[in-house]
Structure formats: C-alpha cells, structure tokens
Amino acid sequence: MGEHRMDGERAVTDGGTTTASATADDEADVGGISAPAEDQEMPLADHIEEMIKRLAIVIVVAGSVSIVVFPLADQLITFLWYSVLPGGDVAQPRVYGPLEFVLARIKVASLAGLIVALPVLVYESYRFMRPGLYRNERKYYLAAVPTSLVLAVVGVLFAYFVVLPAIFTYFLTYSQDAGAIAFGLGDTFGLMLVLMAYLAVVFQIPLLIMLAIMMGLTTRRWLTDRRLYFWGAFLGLAFVSSPDPTGMAPIIIALTMVSLFEGTLLVLKWVGR
C-alpha cells in the first residue's frame, strides 16, 4: 500500500502528487459524507436561540430605520400622494379619524424600514446557515445581500411608476360617473404602501431562484417542468394577499410574478445554468 498524507490542498502519494478536490478548511469527512469543516451538530434549542437572535437584529434594524424616517414622513406622504393621484380637489385627502394621519406616518416609515431590512434578513440568514455552507455557496449568499436591496428598490419603483398609476386611473374611470369621488387618507395611503412593500418582496423572486439553483437545491429544468404549478401559486397568492378588491392589482401582481419567474429561467438558460 502506498503511504499518503494530506497537506493543505495537495495529497502526496508514493506514486506522485494529486490535487485534492477541496481545501482542508473547506470540507471535512463527517460519518463518511463530505461536509463543510465548520458544520457541527448543535442541539435544536441552540439553533432556535440563534435564529431568534438573528431575527431580532433584523427587527431592530427595521425599527431603527423607521424611527429615523418618521420625522420626514409628512414630506414623503405629500410627495407620494400628489404624485400618484390626480391634481385638484379630487386628490385632496379626507381624514375620517383622529389617528389616520399618525398611522399614515407610521406606515411610510415602516416601508423604509422594510426596504432596508430585506438585505439585512438575507445577511442574517447567511450568518445562520454559514457553518453548513461550502465556500462557493457563501460567495453566492454574500453577493445576494446588495442584490436584495437593489431588487427591493426596483420593486418599489415599479409599484410607484406602473402599478399605482394604473390602479388609480382604473378607480377614477369606473367611479367618476357613479358619484363624487373622495379619497380617505388612511385607506388610500395604506393601499399605496402595501402595494409598494408587496412589490419589494415580489421582486426578490429572481434572487431566490438563482440562489436555490447555485446552491444545488433545485435545477432550472425542474422549475421549467413545473412552471404551471408556479403560475397557479402566483395567481392564488396575488388574489389572496392583495388589498385591492377590484381585481386590478392582483392581476398586475400575478403577471409581474410570472414575468419575473420566466425571465429568470430565460436568463439562466442563456448563461447555460
């Protein structure tokens, strides 16, 4: 039998030298199965405790950003309101309760907190899963942190420039002959912010698909073969969770989700993944 030893990245044998498939600090042999060197079994209670701590960090970041943005909420409300709704007396907000304006300020500050918290959530999930990830998987996950923020901003802008104008134009079109139109501050602004937050999350679909494929959790072929199931899930989710009772917003959101899904698969096919 030939004598051999492991030294860093090379395995030396009396028949020559061969390059090991992974560095010593990247893989370990656990029970005969290759695993990351840092992957160690922990009690379930410790896993739960760590997960709660990391979720708490996300909540603290979201809350801190919301507190910072809250003093600027008045200007943000005015800007969003009059840039989405038509001018004149029709767009004048009606306040039907003493807390409506305060709640609107809290909502707009919370939206800012959500946008910043999304990449923090991705990073904290990376920190939670890091011991069980290989080196290349860690690289993909870290790259996802700024990507998540960019996609969230793109989702908000898509809601602002496309979804909200389409919805309120539709509202005015079918309502103007039925009676006087009045927009309540609480309900109307709540709808704006919910749709912006919703689209910020929806636009994470490409990131989630690419991460799942790069980390070997699924394949493009598997997703492609089951695309109709995903379409149905997107449509059902859009109608169940959308705050718009007219059906216009769920249709736009469902089409957006399908487009993001199919667009991501097309890009992956193009790059040969």
Side-chain angles (χ1 to χ4, degrees), residues 77-224:
I77 291 173
T78 302
F79 172 76
L80 290 173
W81 186 273
Y82 287 104
S83 59
V84 171
L85 293 172
D89 293 337
V90 173
Q92 199 73 330
R94 269 67 172 181
V95 179
Y96 298 108
L99 296 178
E100 272 196 272
F101 188 65
V102 175
L103 292 175
R105 296 178 68 191
I106 293 175
K107 289 176 182 177
V108 75
S110 299
L111 175 61
L114 171 68
I115 293 173
V116 176
L118 279 174
V120 177
L121 177 62
V122 174
Y123 178 73
E124 290 302 326
S125 66
Y126 160 75
R127 295 292 300 173
F128 179 74
M129 298 173 62
R130 186 180 186 278
L133 298 176
Y134 292 106
R135 183 172 299 173
N136 64 320
E137 294 172 338
R138 296 173 186 174
K139 177 180 64 177
Y140 297 143
Y141 229 118
L142 283 176
V145 175
T147 306
S148 176
L149 178 60
V150 171
L151 290 174
V153 173
V154 172
V156 171
L157 293 176
F158 180 78
Y160 175 74
F161 286 108
V162 178
V163 179
L164 290 175
I167 289 174
F168 284 107
T169 299
Y170 177 63
F171 284 169
L172 293 172
T173 300
Y174 83 81
S175 300
Q176 60 186 359
D177 296 330
I181 300 174
F183 291 101
L185 176 64
D187 292 339
T188 305
F189 199 71
L191 175 63
M192 292 180 186
L193 294 183
V194 166
L195 287 176
M196 287 183 174
Y198 198 19
L199 267 299
V201 175
V202 164
F203 267 73
Q204 306 298 309
I205 289 176
L207 177 62
L208 297 176
I209 292 175
M210 289 188 175
L211 270 179
I213 290 177
M214 289 176 177
M215 295 176 66
L217 301 178
T218 187
T219 63
R220 181 183 61 82
R221 174 58 59 188
W222 188 90
L223 294 172
T224 301

Side-chain angles (χ1 to χ4, degrees), residues 49-86:
E49 181 181 359
E50 183 182 358
M51 181 176 65
I52 292 174
K53 288 180 179 178
R54 301 206 175 278
L55 287 175
I57 292 173
V58 177
I59 293 172
V60 168
V61 170
S64 300
V65 173
S66 300
I67 291 172
V68 171
V69 173
F70 186 78
L72 306 173
D74 294 1
Q75 297 93 311
L76 292 174
I77 291 173
T78 302
F79 172 76
L80 290 173
W81 186 273
Y82 287 104
S83 59
V84 171
L85 293 172

